[in-house]
């Protein structure tokens, strides 16, 4: 589960006349006193999407050959993922290459003897239960480097207003306590 939280900072102005009786010598501004308060609201929601991260790797004597092998592997793997029947959105995250060196002998420089190329892709599913199916579908072509579960932007948007209302209730409650301690009444809070 994911906890969605919204921090809320609010400015509350209290009437200066009602706060004039502060025993510590406090003299409010004629426009009122401004309180800076912070509030937090949260709600627990089940994750509604998952992202499966895949990685492929190939090695060869030349960079061109290793890259060609990698492209072939990834294309076959993506075709298998798409044929799996799992509704997913795919994205290439990274492509990289590294030379492989000989162990240098004393007084000699290491020599490039081959190349290693990597590509990572991800597939995002809108049903968390489909993450395992997607991972299994790509197992012959990719290593699984992780599965992340999250709450979609649409689900976050649906609770945003509720969270703001709850945060404002918290701010009002804090302001009423402070106003009471300063000798004001809740009607003086705006």
């Amino acid at each position: 589960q994911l906890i969605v939280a919204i921090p809320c900072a609010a400015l509350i102005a209290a009437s200066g006349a009602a706060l004039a009786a502060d025993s510590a010598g406090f003299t409010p501004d004629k426009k009122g006193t401004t309180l800076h308060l912070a509030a937090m609201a949260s709600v627990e929601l089940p994750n509604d999407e998952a992202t499966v991260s895949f990685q492929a790797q190939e090695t060869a004597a030349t960079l061109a050959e290793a890259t060609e092998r990698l492209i072939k592997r990834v294309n076959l793997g993506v075709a298998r993922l798409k044929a799996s029947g799992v509704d997913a959105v795919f994205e290439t995250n990274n492509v990289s290459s590294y030379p492989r060196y000989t162990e240098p002998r004393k007084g000699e420089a290491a020599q490039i003897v081959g190349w290693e190329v990597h590509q990572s892709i991800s597939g995002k599913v809108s049903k968390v239960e489909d993450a395992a199916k997607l991972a299994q579908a790509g197992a012959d072509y990719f290593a699984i480097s992780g599965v992340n579960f999250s709450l979609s932007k649409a689900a976050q948007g649906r609770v945003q207003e509720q969270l703001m209302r709850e945060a404002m209730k918290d701010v009002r409650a804090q302001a009423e306590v402070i106003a009471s301690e300063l000798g004001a009444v809740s009607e003086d809070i705006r």
Side-chain angles (χ1 to χ4, degrees):
Q1 287 190 343
L2 178 70
I3 298 176
V4 177
I6 179 172
C8 179
L11 297 175
I12 305 294
S15 168
L19 298 176
D22 183 10
S23 61
F26 174 74
T27 307
D29 186 291
K30 291 180 182 179
K31 296 178 184 175
T33 301
T34 301
L35 304 174
H36 297 268
L37 304 173
M40 179 75 87
S42 64
V43 63
E44 286 189 34
L45 299 168
N47 292 310
D48 66 345
E49 66 184 17
T51 302
V52 181
S53 299
F54 300 95
Q55 183 165 356
Q57 171 185 322
E58 287 290 340
T59 58
T62 67
L63 180 56
E65 185 182 357
T67 302
E68 185 178 318
R69 287 181 186 176
L70 179 70
I71 290 169
K72 183 177 180 181
R73 172 183 284 279
V74 169
N75 286 343
L76 289 169
V78 169
R80 173 76 62 87
L81 292 172
K82 289 180 176 181
S84 71
V86 175
D87 185 25
V89 176
F90 298 99
E91 180 178 297
T92 295
N93 304 110
N94 183 40
V95 178
S96 58
S97 62
Y98 305 95
R100 297 176 71 205
Y101 294 95
T102 60
E103 190 65 39
R105 294 184 182 170
K106 191 172 185 173
E108 295 180 5
Q111 301 295 312
I112 295 176
V113 294
W115 287 85
E116 189 172 299
V117 291
H118 301 262
Q119 182 171 347
S120 60
I121 67 166
S122 60
K124 184 181 283 191
V125 294
S126 59
K127 296 179 189 173
V128 294
E129 58 273 10
D130 284 345
K133 295 175 193 171
L134 190 65
Q136 183 61 47
D140 291 340
Y141 297 94
F142 301 104
I144 309 304
S145 57
V147 179
N148 294 313
F149 298 94
S150 58
L151 189 64
S152 66
K153 290 188 185 293
Q156 291 177 37
R158 288 192 293 272
V159 299
Q160 190 76 15
E161 184 177 338
Q162 171 193 348
L163 290 169
M164 287 188 290
R165 290 182 191 285
E166 289 177 20
M168 288 309 299
K169 284 180 190 175
D170 183 38
V171 166
R172 282 189 207 96
Q174 291 178 53
E176 287 179 11
V177 168
I178 293 169
S180 173
E181 289 298 313
L182 293 174
V185 291
S186 63
E187 291 78 33
D188 293 328
I189 304 296
R190 51 179 209 274

